[in-house]
Amino acid sequence: VETGRRHRGTAQAMHVPTRTMPGVVVLAGDLGGTKILLELSRCEGGSLEVLFGRRYAAAQYAGLESVLRAFLDEFSASGALPPGIDRACFGVAGPVAEERAKLTNLPWTIDAAELAHRFGICSVQLVNDFAAAAHGIDELRPEALVTLQAGEPVDRGTRAILGAGTGYGAAYSIWTDAGSKSVICKRTLPPSSRSTSVMTVGGSGDGK
């Protein structure tokens, strides 16, 4: 919710478009302190077709709902029929708990249930952005990888994910004795804030 408060029972749902295409329509988003990346895709028969993607300056919007409305309006203006969105997942630059997230470097609070209701999405999931990156490594194609220093790959070895953006983010991906993947995320705020936010993401291997 853009005001940072819960308004269950009073939220107004926007018109939910009827299904206009086969397959599963997925909305993916990367929510950072400076920019918001959104991409709409269709999954069918093991293939992925990107339908529409846009980049937005986060500071120009009051919250994620405003960005999503602009995104869907642009998609409709392109001449495409509005699809019904089956699933959405957002990588959030901040801690996630009980399907709610507060961005570290923006005054935004996001509620997955509210988004699902207002935009008619069957399933909405929030995950820390560096946890999402850690779990996404296995999906990268060989041409997307660059070797900085050659070495011998280690099966189920520990991985480090580093990124410098509005703040500095890092994640460590390790395998537990039970054979599940555990991701530990750490985000440091800009130097002027002189504070650090640390979050541990569950090790069930389900991407949360």
Side-chain angles (χ1 to χ4, degrees):
V1 182
E2 293 180 1
T3 60
R5 297 180 180 178
R6 291 178 183 266
H7 296 282
R8 296 189 185 282
T10 62
Q12 297 295 316
M14 69 180 297
H15 172 68
V16 180
T18 57
R19 167 66 59 206
T20 59
M21 59 183 65
V24 177
V25 177
V26 178
L27 174 63
D30 179 16
L31 315 183
T34 303
K35 68 179 186 300
I36 308 297
L37 302 176
L38 297 174
E39 189 170 87
L40 195 65
S41 302
R42 182 174 68 92
C43 304
E44 184 178 22
S47 63
L48 179 70
E49 176 191 2
V50 176
L51 303 173
F52 191 69
R54 281 292 183 270
R55 170 176 172 155
Y56 298 91
Q60 296 179 4
Y61 296 87
L64 180 57
E65 287 185 19
S66 301
V67 182
L68 290 180
R69 291 181 189 279
F71 176 77
L72 294 175
D73 286 345
E74 281 194 67
F75 180 63
S76 298
S78 70
L81 293 174
I85 300 173
D86 297 295
R87 301 173 189 171
C89 184
F90 301 98
V92 181
V96 179
E98 298 181 350
E99 295 304 317
R100 301 187 80 227
K102 179 173 175 51
L103 273 73
T104 301
N105 295 310
L106 281 176
W108 293 9
T109 297
I110 303 169
D111 187 310
E114 292 281 4
L115 289 177
H117 172 69
R118 295 197 181 193
F119 291 90
I121 303 173
C122 299
S123 172
V124 175
Q125 188 170 20
L126 305 177
V127 62
N128 175 266
D129 56 347
F130 273 82
H135 285 287
I137 291 177
D138 291 329
E139 304 301 320
L140 292 174
R141 296 178 179 178
E143 58 268 25
L145 303 176
V146 176
T147 301
L148 300 180
Q149 181 174 328
E152 292 296 328
V154 177
D155 186 40
R156 292 192 172 187
T158 299
R159 294 167 171 171
I161 298 88
L162 310 174
T166 308
Y168 176 77
Y172 304 92
S173 175
I174 61 176
W175 288 91
T176 67
D177 293 338
S180 62
K181 184 184 292 185
S182 180
V183 177
I184 301 173
C185 298
K186 178 176 181 179
R187 178 172 295 277
T188 303
L189 307 183
S192 59
S193 65
R194 297 184 181 180
S195 61
T196 301
S197 174
V198 179
M199 180 185 70
T200 300
V201 182
S204 61
D206 59 0
K208 294 184 180 180

